Structures are given as C-alpha cells and as structure tokens.
Amino acid sequence: MRLAFILSEIGSGIRRNLSMVTSVILVTFISLTFVGAAGLFQLQIGQMKGYWYDRVQVTIYLCVDNSSETSCAAGPVTEDQRAAIQARLESEQFAPYVDTVTYESQEEALGHFRDQFANSPIVDSVTADQLPESFRVSLVDAEKYEVINEAFSSEPGVEAVSDQRDFLEAIFRYMNWASVVALVIAGIMTFCAILLIATTIRLSAFSRRRETGIMRLVGASKAVIQLPFILEGVIAAVIGAVLASATLWGASRFLIDGWLVKTFPQTAFISSQQVLILVPALVLLGAVLAGLSSLLTLRRYVKV
Amino acid sequence: MIRFDNVTKTYDQQSHPALDAVSLDVDRGEFVFLVGASGSGKSTFIRLVLKEDRVSRGAVYVAGQNVANIPSWRVPRLRRGIGVVFQDFRLLPNKTVFSNVAFAMQVIGRSRAVIRETVPDVLATVGLEGKNNRMPHELSGGEQQRVAIARAIVNRPGILLADEPTGNLDPTTSMGIMKVLDRINQNGTTVVMATHDDDIVNTMRKRVVELRSGSVVRDDAQGIYVGEAGAMAG
C-alpha cells in the first residue's frame, strides 16, 4: 500500500515537473557518456598494453659498413663480436630476462623490408648490405627492457638497441590525454547534473509543499515524505545512464567493430561486449549522484 | 494529556516571548478553548504540542512524554496521535473529499481495505454522507472544514488541535462545526481549540484558558470570553 502510494507520488511529481526531469535526464546522459568514454579509453589502453607488451621485442642492431653511429666507428661487426653478443644473450646471466633470441641476417632484413614496403619505389634502391643484421630478443617481462639496453648498447659491434615500446608509449600517451580530457568534460557536466538535480528537487518540493505539509501533520514518516523526491531524481538519472550506455555501445559498434577493426586488423581493440561492463557502473554512478544531491537538497527544503 | 510546565518560547532574543512561563494541564477527554487576541501565543501553543518548534525554557508533555526527549525519527508517531485543523482548511484541491481523507491513512501505510471501510464512517461522523466524490471547490466553507476535521480524526488521534477552525466561517456554519467538534469530544478525544470568537465560547460553556502576551491570565472551568471589542466597550 505504502509502495503503491509512493509510486503514485513519484508519477505525479514527474508529470508536474516534466521539463526539469527531462533536463536532468539529458545532463546526466551527456555527463555519463563522457565518463564512459574515459573508461573506454582506459580499457583500450589496457587491452593494447596486454596485447603488445607480450609481443614487443628488443632489437639489437649490429654495425654495418658506413654506419653513421659513433659506436660503429670501428667498422662493420666482426664474426667474433657477433658470436660474443649471441653467447652473452644466451648466457646464464640473462636467462631470467630473455625468452627467445632470433638472429636476422642482412638478406632476411632485406626480405622483411621488401614485404613491408612492397608498394614503394624505394624497394629497388635498397640492397642487403645497407640494412643492419640484428638480434631480435623477446623478453620474459617486457618492462625489463632497460636491462638489455644497458648491457648491450656499449658492446662492440652494436649499433643501437631499440625497443618498440617507445612507439607504443607515445600512442598510449595520446590516449591517456584523450581520457583525461573526457574526464574533465565529464567532471564539469557531472557538476551541472548535480546542480540541476538539486534545482529540480527544490522545484518539485515547492510545487508539492501542500502535500508534504499535510503528510507531516498526519505523521507520515520521513521516508514516505522524502522517498518520492529522491526516487524522482534517481529515476531521471538512471534513465540518463541507460541512454549514455546505449550511446557508448552504439558508438563502439559503429566505430570499433564497424571501422577500426577492419582498418587496423593487427591491432587489438576492445569489443562492444566489453562496453557492457561499463553499464552497471554508469547506472550506479548516476543513481548515487542523484540520490546524494536530492538528499542534501531535501534536508534544506523539506522539513520533516 | 497535555501538560505545559513553565514553558517559555522566544522566537528571537529582542522581542517579547510568544509564551511566557505558561503552566497548563489539559486532561484526557477535556474540551478547552484557548482564547486571546492575535499574537497572544495560541498558535505557538499548538506548534509546541506538535513539536514543530522547540521550547526555550520549561517542558511540554504530551500523553505523559516530554516532547523534547522524542528523537526526530519518532516525531511522526507523536503527530499520529494528534489531529490538527486550521482556519484555512488545507485540503488538496486536486483530490476528492474521499481521497483527501484517505490521504492521511495512505501516508501512514494503512491498507486499501481499511481505508475503504473507515473513510465513509468518518465522513458520516462529520456530516458529509454522500459527498465522497465532490472536489473541495464544489463545497461550501463549512463543508470544507468538515473534510479537514474528518482528515484530522481518521487515524483516531487522542488529541484534536483546532487553530481558529471557524475563523473563515459565518456564525451559523460555525455552530455546525462546533457541534461536530463537540461530538468528537464526546467520543473521548481531547480537544483544544484556539479561537477569538466570543459567541462560540460563550455558547459552549467549556473550560476557557485566556492568553495575553504569552501569559495565562485566566483559566475558568465553564468560562466565557469577552473579546477585544467587548472588553473595550465594557
């Protein structure tokens, strides 16, 4: 009975206050969409890190003839130097760090180069002796790149030690920036949402002050008096959260599944299924936000 | 039923207290008129009984309990034991007579079946049989006040507080309302009615407590009241 009563009160509250409730829905919708977008960026970064860090290799380039690097002033790498580097890589000392070591000769490097730049005219002008031979080292723990770098960059015959992570990290930095921007926008919009919910509840409380006055007099409990207002805000915010979730899901299907995955097939993208992980979090966030701000407002505007 | 023990209520430090060291006992089943000019402290008395305001000094007891000691979450229970009627009726304009009375039961969680059974009985008690589906604006002032009284007593409170219930009504209609209040009192409800209508007080011959500037100046068992105008003439 009391539940039915509270529900009917909520219904009449929303009807009376329809334009304000709509604006609450829209503002929470936008703010939670940005919160969700920031979350998606983070998910994507995590996904890419997990995928790429397992695959990144450290490449130890060996000196070629006419190398411009100072470390190669002594000329191209000798047989002995190459053997010494390989022996060290496979030694006990580096066993905890090094997973596998692959040697790539100048001819193999040229082969890879031709594959990679198959459509480019420079292919014909490149010869095998211009490309460095190298050791491709995959690590047990990709974070331990520095160990290899320090140990081998000053080794005779080594031109440079390079880590693909530098390139990835630049990408991650941009994505982190994007998620920070999304979070800042989300923060501002959330602040708007809180103010708007407070205003809406205030208007709602004002338009129903007659009812709440009578409820007080006949001894209605605090819950019965305040719950309709709180739920009014919470319902609006949850609708906003559902809209935000649907938008994020739609955008991820369209952008990621429909375009990015096809365009960059080697890259690991989050799936639109993973977006669904965010839904309960967004709905909860919306509900808590609305609940708290209406609770605080009611304390001031609806005496019990 | 209601006991004021040396109660002082000051709204702000500069002004004269609204109630000044008032001591008063209202027994169970009594009918008491609280008389005095506007600003004499009648409404403050009612607010203090309902714990709408806190006393500045002294103590208010309702049904034996010091209201100052009632925690805020128990205040609704205190108010369920007290019905209140006002000069301006305070009905919900978009609800029928039946719904206005039922509202008081809905908000404290009474079942639909109990409401359907109780409301018509109470409407009969106040003389509104057959007007269940009228809207407040279709009723006369006296009828609207009867609806308000029905709402105040539908949860069977032990106390009925009436703050100038006849203030907006003509003398004949007022007498009708007084009959209703008297009948409610006969059924065992303690009634405290604030008024400055001397005709009504003099006709009813009940206990009269007169307040002036926040102090009790008279407490007669079967008193009369000579209002402001009468006092000046006499």
Side-chain angles (χ1 to χ4, degrees):
Chain A
M1 186 64 217
R2 223 180 297 204
L3 183 73
F5 173 75
I6 289 173
L7 288 179
S8 79
E9 283 291 298
I10 295 170
S12 80
I14 290 178
R15 267 197 305 281
R16 276 196 216 182
N17 235 340
L18 198 58
S19 62
M20 287 303 281
V21 170
T22 309
S23 56
V24 169
I25 290 175
L26 292 178
V27 171
T28 41
F29 162 43
I30 302 294
S31 68
L32 291 177
T33 302
F34 279 103
V35 171
L40 288 184
F41 276 122
Q42 289 305 322
L43 275 178
Q44 177 65 34
I45 290 171
Q47 179 96 348
M48 285 175 85
K49 272 188 179 156
Y51 181 85
W52 283 108
Y53 280 10
D54 285 347
R55 285 165 182 74
V56 286
Q57 292 176 323
V58 178
T59 307
I60 301 174
Y61 292 105
L62 305 180
C63 291
V64 288
D65 220 0
N66 302 323
S67 170
S68 54
E69 297 289 323
T70 49
S71 53
C72 292
V77 66
T78 63
E79 287 287 328
D80 291 346
Q81 284 170 344
R82 181 165 59 232
I85 293 166
Q86 179 148 20
R88 251 194 104 189
L89 275 172
E90 288 166 352
S91 71
E92 282 292 302
Q93 190 193 350
F94 291 101
Y97 306 108
V98 174
D99 189 22
T100 58
V101 180
T102 328
Y103 171 72
E104 189 180 277
S105 69
Q106 289 183 307
E107 275 69 32
E108 283 164 336
L110 183 65
H112 285 148
F113 185 85
R114 283 189 171 148
D115 287 345
Q116 219 168 349
F117 295 92
N119 303 319
S120 168
I122 61 166
V123 166
D124 302 328
S125 59
V126 175
T127 56
D129 61 316
Q130 289 172 311
L131 294 171
E133 48 192 310
S134 60
F135 286 107
R136 301 285 162 117
V137 184
S138 49
L139 301 177
V140 176
D141 177 2
E143 308 280 331
K144 296 279 160 52
Y145 152 76
E146 277 303 321
V147 177
I148 305 294
N149 187 23
E150 272 170 35
F152 290 93
S153 54
S154 52
E155 188 89 348
V158 171
E159 182 180 304
V161 178
S162 105
D163 177 16
Q164 292 164 304
R165 289 205 318 162
D166 289 347
F167 169 68
L168 287 173
E169 230 120 63
I171 295 181
F172 293 153
R173 228 176 3 255
Y174 288 125
M175 293 178 69
N176 263 326
W177 266 109
S179 75
V180 166
V181 169
L183 269 181
V184 168
I185 296 174
I188 295 169
M189 294 304 293
T190 306
F191 186 63
C192 288
I194 291 173
L195 292 181
L196 199 61
I197 290 167
T199 312
T200 306
I201 298 296
R202 228 164 81 190
L203 277 179
S204 192
F206 186 75
S207 75
R208 272 188 281 166
R209 64 194 184 286
R210 225 190 262 264
E211 278 88 341
T212 50
I214 292 164
M215 287 162 115
R216 253 156 46 77
L217 282 178
V218 301
S221 64
K222 191 172 168 178
V224 171
I225 297 176
Q226 295 197 339
L227 215 55
F229 294 103
I230 295 173
L231 290 182
E232 193 180 311
V234 169
I235 287 171
V238 166
I239 294 174
V242 169
L243 286 177
S245 305
T247 304
L248 287 169
W249 186 78
S252 70
R253 269 199 79 84
F254 179 71
L255 262 178
I256 298 176
D257 297 359
W259 178 59
L260 283 173
V261 167
K262 288 184 189 123
T263 317
F264 304 100
Q266 313 93 323
T267 315
F269 288 105
I270 50 171
S271 65
S272 49
Q273 258 74 45
Q274 275 171 288
V275 176
L276 298 180
I277 298 170
L278 285 172
V279 174
L282 291 182
V283 169
L284 195 72
L285 185 67
V288 167
L289 238 127
L292 280 182
S293 65
S294 35
L295 207 62
L296 290 176
T297 316
L298 284 176
R299 192 174 291 185
R300 278 183 58 192
Y301 292 96
V302 181
K303 246 190 7 171
V304 176
Chain B
M1 201 63 175
I2 300 172
R3 190 153 73 86
F4 271 52
D5 188 2
N6 209 18
V7 171
T8 298
K9 174 65 189 173
T10 317
Y11 283 102
D12 62 72
Q13 294 301 320
Q14 283 78 32
S15 63
H16 190 79
L19 285 182
D20 195 357
V22 169
S23 291
L24 186 67
D25 254 305
V26 178
D27 289 334
R28 187 181 297 274
E30 250 191 308
F31 193 120
V32 179
F33 282 114
L34 210 56
V35 300
S38 307
S40 58
K42 301 183 306 259
S43 297
T44 301
F45 179 93
I46 285 174
R47 292 178 63 80
L48 290 177
V49 173
L50 287 168
K51 211 192 172 189
E52 295 235 37
D53 275 325
R54 231 178 289 176
V55 295
S56 307
R57 266 194 309 280
V60 174
Y61 296 87
V62 175
Q65 199 176 12
N66 184 347
V67 298
N69 296 337
I70 299 176
S72 64
W73 62 273
R74 290 279 294 270
V75 169
R77 184 192 284 209
L78 166 77
R79 293 187 184 146
R80 281 177 210 189
I82 306 170
V84 201
V85 182
F86 297 94
Q87 181 173 1
D88 56 356
F89 321 137
R90 301 199 187 172
L91 300 178
L92 298 174
N94 53 350
K95 286 190 194 289
T96 63
V97 167
F98 182 94
S99 306
N100 261 289
V101 178
F103 187 77
M105 299 185 82
Q106 285 173 336
V107 299
I108 63 168
R110 293 273 180 271
S111 77
R112 210 177 294 243
V114 172
I115 292 174
R116 246 194 303 250
E117 199 177 312
T118 315
V119 173
D121 282 355
V122 174
L123 285 174
T125 309
V126 299
L128 286 175
E129 302 94 333
K131 307 227 160 145
N132 284 7
N133 296 321
R134 298 289 189 86
M135 300 303 280
H137 68 265
E138 300 169 342
L139 301 176
S140 70
E143 286 170 325
Q144 289 188 43
Q145 190 59 291
R146 284 163 195 257
V147 177
I149 293 170
R151 184 180 62 196
I153 61 167
V154 73
N155 291 320
R156 312 211 172 290
I159 300 170
L160 179 63
L161 303 175
D163 193 357
E164 309 260 7
T166 58
N168 279 348
L169 305 175
D170 61 66
T172 321
T173 316
S174 296
M175 282 323 294
I177 294 295
M178 290 318 298
K179 286 208 182 84
V180 172
L181 292 178
D182 195 32
R183 200 178 314 145
I184 291 165
N185 177 238
Q186 301 294 320
N187 291 337
T189 306
T190 309
V191 179
V192 176
M193 173 169 160
T195 186
H196 55 242
D197 186 333
D198 42 9
D199 279 345
I200 286 173
V201 176
N202 298 341
T203 313
M204 297 291 290
R205 288 282 161 178
K206 302 279 187 187
R207 180 179 169 195
V208 175
V209 175
E210 185 173 351
L211 289 169
R212 195 174 294 161
S213 310
S215 302
V216 176
V217 293
R218 189 161 62 97
D219 188 347
D220 292 344
Q222 288 199 327
I224 55 156
Y225 172 52
V226 182
E228 222 81 322
M232 271 177 236

